[in-house]
Amino acid sequence: LYQSLSARLAQLHSVVDTVGREAAFATAAVTPNLVLEPRRLKLLSLLAVSWLGGSSDWTSPVNTYLTDSLTLTSSVAIVKGSDLFVGAGQTNVPVTVSNALNVPVIVYVNVASTSSVLQIQKQNVALTIEPGSSNKAAIPVQALSNGKVVTTITITSIDRVPLGSPEYVKVDLQPGWESVGTTVIVILLVLVFGGGIVRTFLKRRTARHKAVVRETVFEGVAEGAEADRDRSGRVVDAGRS
């Protein structure tokens, strides 16, 4: 009997401990009562006198309640992402958060860097996630030099209650690629527009050359015709005399 009572007290403590955790978690919900009310009803049912004083097996409903509590407090979480490559000095670290609840939630996203070569330019970025969906936050960062950094991503509720487990993302910083990319683009632009300018210049020079040739030909024809008229006139004058 003593062992049975001791076991039930241990189970009771486990159940009561979930109340505080669930209340803290619910601060992420836009309407916390919609999250907590169903849990309160299940708790009252679990703590009914018939369960506590009777001979029925209480372990099974307690385990179910504890499992449901763990599922509830894990229903808002960071979606694991892949490692990042940063080829620009300033960029954004994307963070996706999922919400398995049937109510909207508001979380605050934070990214921490293990090295000063990656500076986080904004923290506590608010993100609203609709029921049964996910949403993405963009955390602005700046890479100061090349290197590899491990970032820690966390989310909290409006009361700064940690939600879920942190996620760790490796970031490969290569800000030098930005200048290389800029140089390549500039070269391409010079080739494209420079080539166009050269072609336009050559076309105009060819057109001017053709115009000069035509003008020269026309002048030659005109001078020849004038010379022919002069010769014809002299011949006529000679015949009359």
Side-chain angles (χ1 to χ4, degrees):
L1 179 61
Y2 174 77
Q3 290 179 346
S4 176
L5 180 59
S6 178
R8 290 209 171 195
L9 286 175
Q11 292 172 333
L12 181 60
H13 283 303
S14 298
V15 170
V16 172
D17 287 343
T18 65
V19 176
R21 289 196 296 268
E22 292 178 5
F25 167 80
T27 59
V30 173
T31 311
N33 282 338
L34 294 179
V35 176
L36 295 177
E37 282 300 327
R39 296 296 296 165
R40 290 194 186 106
L41 294 176
K42 289 185 178 181
L43 179 62
L44 291 174
S45 175
L46 187 65
L47 298 179
V49 176
S50 59
W51 282 107
L52 292 176
S55 58
S56 301
D57 179 22
W58 199 49
T59 301
S60 179
V62 166
N63 289 339
T64 300
Y65 182 87
L66 295 176
T67 300
D68 291 344
S69 179
L70 181 60
T71 301
L72 174 68
T73 55
S74 303
S75 56
V76 177
I78 303 169
V79 178
K80 186 173 180 59
S82 58
D83 295 342
L84 298 177
F85 175 83
V86 176
Q90 291 185 333
T91 187
N92 293 319
V93 173
V95 179
T96 303
V97 181
S98 64
N99 173 24
L101 296 175
N102 57 0
V103 296
V105 299
I106 299 176
V107 302
Y108 294 83
V109 184
N110 291 280
V111 176
S113 171
T114 57
S115 174
S116 59
V117 299
L118 180 66
Q119 293 187 346
I120 313 301
Q121 297 183 317
K122 189 176 181 180
Q123 295 284 18
N124 294 321
V125 177
L127 183 67
T128 301
I129 309 105
E130 296 300 323
S133 65
S134 61
N135 199 3
K136 183 179 293 185
I139 312 301
V141 299
Q142 182 174 11
L144 301 182
S145 64
N146 295 352
K148 293 184 178 180
V149 179
V150 177
T151 59
T152 303
I153 303 173
T154 57
I155 55 175
T156 63
S157 71
I158 192 172
D159 289 348
R160 299 297 181 262
V161 176
L163 304 172
S165 301
E167 282 294 332
Y168 303 95
V169 176
K170 295 179 181 179
V171 182
D172 187 1
L173 306 175
Q174 299 292 337
W177 282 98
E178 183 180 28
S179 59
V180 174
T182 302
T183 303
V184 171
I185 292 175
V186 170
I187 292 174
L188 290 176
L189 289 175
V190 169
L191 291 176
V192 172
F193 290 103
I197 293 172
V198 170
R199 286 194 299 271
T200 302
F201 173 76
L202 291 177
K203 287 180 179 179
R204 289 181 178 178
R205 190 174 69 174
T206 301
R208 285 197 299 269
H209 178 70
K210 290 181 177 179
V212 170
V213 171
R214 285 197 299 270
E215 185 177 352
T216 302
V217 170
F218 290 154
E219 288 179 354
V221 172
E223 291 177 356
E226 184 66 25
D228 290 341
R229 285 196 297 271
D230 290 342
R231 286 194 296 271
S232 298
R234 287 196 296 270
V235 169
V236 171
D237 292 337
R240 289 177 179 177
S241 59

